[in-house]
Amino acid sequence: PILMFAQQERIYTSLEDIEQPDSVFILSLSKNRLDTFPAQILEFRNLRELDLSKNKLHSIPTQIGRLSNLEVLNLDRNRLDSLPQEIGQLHKLRYLKLSRNRLYHLPASIANLYNLKELILWSNGIKCFPESFKNLDTTIEVIDLRDNPMMLYDDQQSIKEMLPTPTIKMDNVCNCR
């Protein structure tokens, strides 16, 4: 048990160091200039935290849903313009970080992430939320929507009506009509 705990706290920073896929719990491949999602990651069934921030990823494979133990997914600062619907299969996900990408819409399946506590979408092209997101109201704690084009006063009001419980970070706007 002590060895297992030690393995759970080890942070892998390279795919080359990995001998046993089931021993990978935390993987940080930040700042590796990756332009494609490494398929090897999909073999890590016990993966809890995945950091692929500050790369050049254009897409996430539909097989992402296989990572059923994932609790933290950091995809900040990539070149993502969409996410697969299968991201909604990550039922243990608590933190989803998507800042500084090229996302214009989000899959409705994110509403299936009933353990999600934080959804960070700062600096994207988000224009609207799927209606299904109202299912997250009682579970999600923070949504960061700063620096997105949907941040007109009416847009902000409709988001607050859909999600009255969480803290929603938005840009300051005026009701200038």
Side-chain angles (χ1 to χ4, degrees):
I2 293 172
L3 180 59
M4 184 65 159
F5 179 75
Q7 287 176 330
Q8 288 183 10
E9 298 307 310
R10 178 177 179 191
I11 300 173
Y12 287 89
T13 57
S14 170
L15 294 172
E16 296 168 5
D17 299 342
I18 299 170
E19 295 175 13
Q20 297 178 341
D22 288 343
S23 69
V24 181
F25 295 89
I26 303 172
L27 178 62
S28 178
L29 298 178
S30 183
K31 301 179 192 173
N32 276 272
R33 297 188 176 133
L34 300 171
D35 57 1
T36 58
F37 188 96
Q40 184 181 354
I41 292 173
L42 300 170
E43 299 171 18
F44 306 151
R45 296 181 311 203
N46 293 319
L47 192 62
R48 289 183 295 131
E49 296 182 26
L50 176 58
D51 183 354
L52 292 171
S53 64
K54 300 176 184 172
N55 281 294
K56 299 177 182 183
L57 298 176
H58 290 275
S59 65
I60 302 299
T62 58
Q63 297 89 347
I64 190 81
R66 289 186 201 166
L67 301 176
S68 60
N69 289 307
L70 206 57
E71 296 176 16
V72 177
L73 178 56
N74 187 348
L75 297 169
D76 287 346
R77 295 182 182 221
N78 277 285
R79 297 177 180 170
L80 301 172
D81 58 12
S82 66
L83 296 172
Q85 285 289 338
E86 290 78 4
I87 202 160
Q89 296 171 4
L90 303 174
H91 297 291
K92 292 184 180 180
L93 201 63
R94 296 168 30 116
Y95 302 96
L96 180 55
K97 300 176 181 184
L98 299 164
S99 294
R100 293 188 128 185
N101 277 286
R102 299 172 180 170
L103 297 169
Y104 290 95
H105 58 85
L106 299 168
S109 65
I110 287 180
N112 298 331
L113 302 176
Y114 297 111
N115 288 303
L116 195 62
K117 299 295 178 198
E118 289 188 19
L119 177 60
I120 310 301
L121 295 164
W122 178 77
S123 192
N124 273 285
I126 304 295
K127 295 181 180 176
C128 64
F129 269 11
E131 186 66 25
S132 62
F133 275 38
K134 65 184 173 190
N135 297 339
L136 296 173
D137 184 56
T138 58
T139 57
I140 198 162
E141 296 172 0
V142 175
I143 301 173
D144 190 340
L145 292 169
R146 291 174 292 168
D147 195 22
N148 277 282
M150 68 186 293
M151 293 299 100
L152 299 173
Y153 180 80
D154 291 341
D155 297 326
Q156 290 186 5
Q157 289 308 113
S158 64
I159 291 169
K160 289 176 184 178
E161 289 170 12
M162 182 191 318
L163 298 162
T165 306
T167 298
I168 301 176
K169 297 178 182 179
M170 298 187 212
D171 297 323
N172 291 326
V173 296
C174 68
N175 191 6
C176 307
R177 291 187 189 235

